Amino acid sequence: MTEEILTRLASTIESRRSADPDQSYVARLMSRGDDAILKKIGEEATEVVLAAKDGVPDRIVAECADLWFHCLVMLAHHDLHPDDVLAELARREGLSGIEEKALRKRLQREVDEGTRE
């Protein structure tokens, strides 16, 4: 069910990408570019933190929904889809967080060393 909701929402966001910015919040945000989208994600992330600090379940859920929505807008702006994120989560499934982070660091070091040669 969750994947279906994300897919439907991603489709709606994609369809509004080229809409009139005076008529569509998504179109307006995308027309303002990366900085505006990322600023909005930062604001929403802060609101999630504050809601969690207050401990009111309904507010936490509402703020997370806002954050996820704006992350979906950012993904669409970069021609990505929620399936890309879900695939990455599936790839990480079963790995400990510590193990996964160490693997990412090792791979990044290898990339960095390869660019210096």
Side-chain angles (χ1 to χ4, degrees):
M1 179 176 145
T2 302
E3 290 178 44
E4 293 171 10
I5 292 167
L6 290 174
T7 297
R8 286 195 311 268
L9 185 52
S11 293
T12 299
I13 289 168
E14 188 60 40
S15 73
R16 294 190 180 157
R17 150 185 259 180
S18 59
D20 179 357
D22 291 330
Q23 302 296 315
S24 168
Y25 173 74
V26 169
R28 183 179 326 139
L29 193 54
M30 285 194 173
S31 72
R32 293 180 178 163
D34 242 8
D35 287 346
I37 296 167
L38 298 175
K39 180 180 177 189
K40 193 63 182 169
I41 289 173
E43 290 170 6
E44 296 300 341
T46 299
E47 290 175 11
V48 167
V49 169
L50 294 173
K53 188 103 169 118
D54 291 343
V56 179
D58 289 346
R59 187 162 165 245
I60 294 169
V61 169
E63 296 301 344
C64 279
D66 290 346
L67 177 59
W68 287 17
F69 172 81
H70 287 90
C71 286
L72 290 171
V73 171
M74 182 266 311
L75 287 171
H77 183 71
H78 289 280
D79 297 320
L80 296 167
H81 190 272
D83 288 343
D84 299 312
V85 177
L86 294 172
E88 176 61 13
L89 290 172
R91 184 192 68 76
R92 294 179 185 187
E93 189 174 16
L95 289 176
S96 80
I98 293 169
E99 200 179 326
E100 197 279 329
K101 187 173 182 179
L103 176 62
R104 277 189 288 143
K105 283 184 177 183
R106 191 187 83 219
L107 292 173
Q108 186 59 51
R109 274 194 309 271
E110 290 172 6
V111 167
D112 291 346
E113 289 170 2
T115 59
R116 285 185 230 152
E117 294 176 7

